[in-house]
Amino acid sequence: MTRAPRRRRLRLADAGLVLALAEWGDRGPLVLLHHANGFCAGLWTPVAEALAGRHRVVAIDARGHGDSDRPPETRAFLWDRFVDDLVEVAARLAAEHPDGRVAVGVGHSFGGTATLAAAARRPELFGRLLLLDPVLPLPPGMRPDPDRMRRIRLLAATARRRREIWPSRDEARASWARRRFFAGWDPQALDAYAADGLRELPDGRVTLKCSPEVEATIFENSGSLDVFGLAAQVLAPTRILWARHGDFSRAAYEKLAAGMRAAEVVDADTGHLIPMQRPELVVAEIRAAAAAGE
């Protein structure tokens, strides 16, 4: 049965921004979800609906994404700003629960990086972490290799070329379904992206809620967090899902896990877009994490 999420808006005290949240379920362990760069809270719908009967699930629209505010300045999209936002959202949601914490913090790609960093800053807020093929930026001050720089420039350039406007949601979905990037997506995830990732324009057309410029800027700002330095401060038991058919090395994740108090790397037979391609795997992992924390 489809469960329509409740929509909620939070004004952040520190940033002065309003962030949008989607919530499913109203009881059980609190699960907090953070999407990848360029996406939105609604993409978690197949995962959240499966969990909502026994969990309270909250997905965040990061700044510049979905229905959240979009600050005008480039510095607003440094990665540590996203961590600031997530820490405040987690603290406010945790305060609504008897145990005062997020049972499972879940982040995908750039959202996984933000989730790890938030748990490092406020370890007491998170019971467990599930990081889905998180991005591992080089520590600030470390000279990146030319291949890495070329890849970041390519990602940013590709984002800026992304088509932004379609005549309708149906035509946008049909266009995406023909593209290689969306091959292997669960149909429900593609439906969710068409439903929540697009905004209607006054003339009836639809446009991406996360602009190509914001997505590109976030790629270009990826070196603003020392993830390996932060890892040692994470107390929550952590599972890192490595996408076998993704873009990152398992060795890098093993190095990250080795620097954490209680972390393990688990193979996922999928591409980088784990929640969109294998939502059932993510559901199983979250259920196991929540049960282990009880």
Side-chain angles (χ1 to χ4, degrees), residues 46 79 106 122 159 165 194:
W79 286 33
V106 184
R122 292 288 303 276
I165 296 175

Side-chain angles (χ1 to χ4, degrees), residues 110-151:
F110 140 86
T113 311
T115 299
L116 181 149
R121 289 194 191 171
R122 292 288 303 276
E124 78 284 1
L125 286 179
F126 295 88
R128 290 180 176 267
L129 301 182
L130 177 63
L131 309 180
L132 309 175
D133 222 38
V135 178
L136 300 182
L138 291 176
M142 180 175 290
R143 184 176 179 179
D145 63 83
D147 286 343
R148 188 183 186 98
M149 292 301 296
R150 279 193 294 270
R151 175 163 176 74

Side-chain angles (χ1 to χ4, degrees), residues 233-274:
Q233 302 171 44
V234 175
L235 302 182
T238 301
R239 276 172 72 89
I240 303 169
L241 264 61
W242 170 65
R244 284 184 186 164
H245 311 295
D247 301 318
F248 304 115
S249 108
R250 195 182 200 282
Y253 289 144
E254 290 172 346
K255 179 180 178 181
L256 181 72
M260 300 174 70
R261 181 171 179 175
E264 59 180 332
V265 180
V266 180
D267 291 10
D269 190 18
T270 180
H272 175 63
L273 301 176
I274 299 175

